[in-house]
Amino acid sequence: MFFRKKSTTWLRCSLGAVLLAGVVGGCGGGGARPPKWSFIAATIVEPNCATASCHSAVAQRAGVVLTPRDTAYKTLITRKFVIPGDCPNPGECQDSEMVALLRAQGSRRMPPDFALPEADIELIEHWINEGATND
Amino acid sequence: MINPLRRTSVVAGGIVGLWLLASARPALAYPQFQFSSGTTRCGQCHYSPSGGGLITSWGRDESGDTISLGGDGSFLHGATTLPSWLALGADFRAAFLYNNVGGPESPEIAKIPIGSSFYLPFFPMQLDVYGRAAYEAYSLNVTIGDRGVVRPVDPTLSGRTGDFAARLMSREHYFMWRPSATGPYVRAGRFFAPYGLRLAEHIYFVRRYTGFNLYEETYNLSGGYVADDWEVHATAFLGIPTSLPDFLGAVGIPESGGAVYAEKRFAGMAALGVQSRIGIASEEARYQGGAVGKLWIEQARLLVLAEADFIRQQVPAASAGQNQFVSYIGATYIIRGFMAGAAYERFQEDLAVSGTGRNAYDAEVNLFPGAHFEVGLLGRYQKAQAVAGGGPDSSAASLAMIQFHYYL
């Protein structure tokens, strides 16, 4: 009986923690994702590209550093991975290397281990088409 | 005419892909050994109260007596005896890696050249050296290692992975006050805050997307209490600036904040944990919480592990945020000298945006032919809901890895 009572308490606590996180997570809602570099850098680029062996400060693969946000922006613009205004429609970026790599097939694609969701790439294209500012 | 930048990027892509999947990992323990080996606390086999890293004399004995098929698990196979205040160790892993993401360049196999025409289909995955010096209840614990290399560096690519010295780093170094194996402890320094299942492989979603990816150790002030059937750990942490030298370098957005993990164990066969972490940086903030479950079914020699986390990521500069979900559930069959398991993972990047989920299916087999030796096989298949390109090849990726592990 003692075991069962304590188990129930811990089960309730666990479920409570998950629900609390869910409630906190729900605050503010997801909503439309803004085509802003500050959002794209923090939610897409840094978690997927600036990883330990790739484009982090300690690895700098191919000389490309995609963290922190301002450094990443400068890299993408100065090395012409991003051409502002280059994406009139989703999938129609003519010269932006970043989008070409994100949409490539096979091992040339970035990130090379797993493709980004289409929604992420379209958000990046939207940002490029709106001028690709460091906002 | 191929854009030189694109050609460089294509070459880099292949290398980076293998690197991403298989670079050196922290010497985390196998949470699968909890309960299944007769021990209930991670700190029984490891000097760290939350597990991982250098193993204790108890753990070395267990490696020969219950985990592997036999042998002397002592330092240097028992050839010498260290004074009681000193503990040393090392881990070395070499790995074969097959990586297939579709497309004409796949699959790729990691290899290192020997001479001009001969290749070894392996790469050095981990080389870590551990040291611990103790005086009564106080100890200094240091790990120094070399970041793994899948291939020799392509001379056409720049970067900081070129030579052994440049890749040296200390991912863990901390002082600890811990008067006994159970009871209170305090430690300060660099390490992973206790959180989640603490799976060995950093590619698992519950590590990668919760702030515990490779080299994301933070500087912490951490304390807790460990009892036979419960434990609690609380950690305040500071993100590591990217301006630090590579030897102390870190990866990830340098968040500062706190983490709490509490675990209750039941009858030496099950555990339930709750956890929360808040990390705040200038660029973003993450608020996350979740739960961990562990169940050992003795009759079937089966251990079930599960973790689920909700994450709220807020980006103040964009006045926006997203809600994420990440989970893991796996079952492992364990007998002496052998371990085989399968797992399912789920990561939802933004719960409000369809098509941003991905699934992963894992299979692992580990052989422990003798103390100090391990052969590990990992197979992983990932599938996304909707990805770039839309072709059948672009939505899936698979890898296979064979690790040969030796610890000193």
Side-chain angles (χ1 to χ4, degrees), chain A residues 25 46 53-54 61 106-107 120, chain B residues 16 23 102 105 161 283 323 349:
Chain A
E46 296 203 48
S53 302
C54 300
R61 297 300 297 177
S107 55
D120 287 356
Chain B
V16 169
S23 58
E105 295 90 359
T161 56
E283 298 183 21
N323 302 321
E349 182 183 307

Side-chain angles (χ1 to χ4, degrees), chain A residues 13 23 25 31 34 44 53 56 78 80 86 89 98 113 124 126 133:
Chain A
C13 289
V23 169
I44 300 173
S53 302
S56 59
T78 58
K80 300 191 185 306
D86 184 47
N89 295 297
M98 181 181 188
D113 64 329
I124 291 169
H126 191 173
T133 56

Side-chain angles (χ1 to χ4, degrees), chain B residues 4 65 94 115 158 174-175 191 203 221 227 266 292 309 322 373 382:
Chain B
D65 297 340
S158 57
Y174 59 88
F175 288 99
F191 50 89
I203 58 176
L221 177 60
F266 307 99
V292 164
D309 291 277
Q322 62 183 5
F373 298 99
Q382 293 187 73

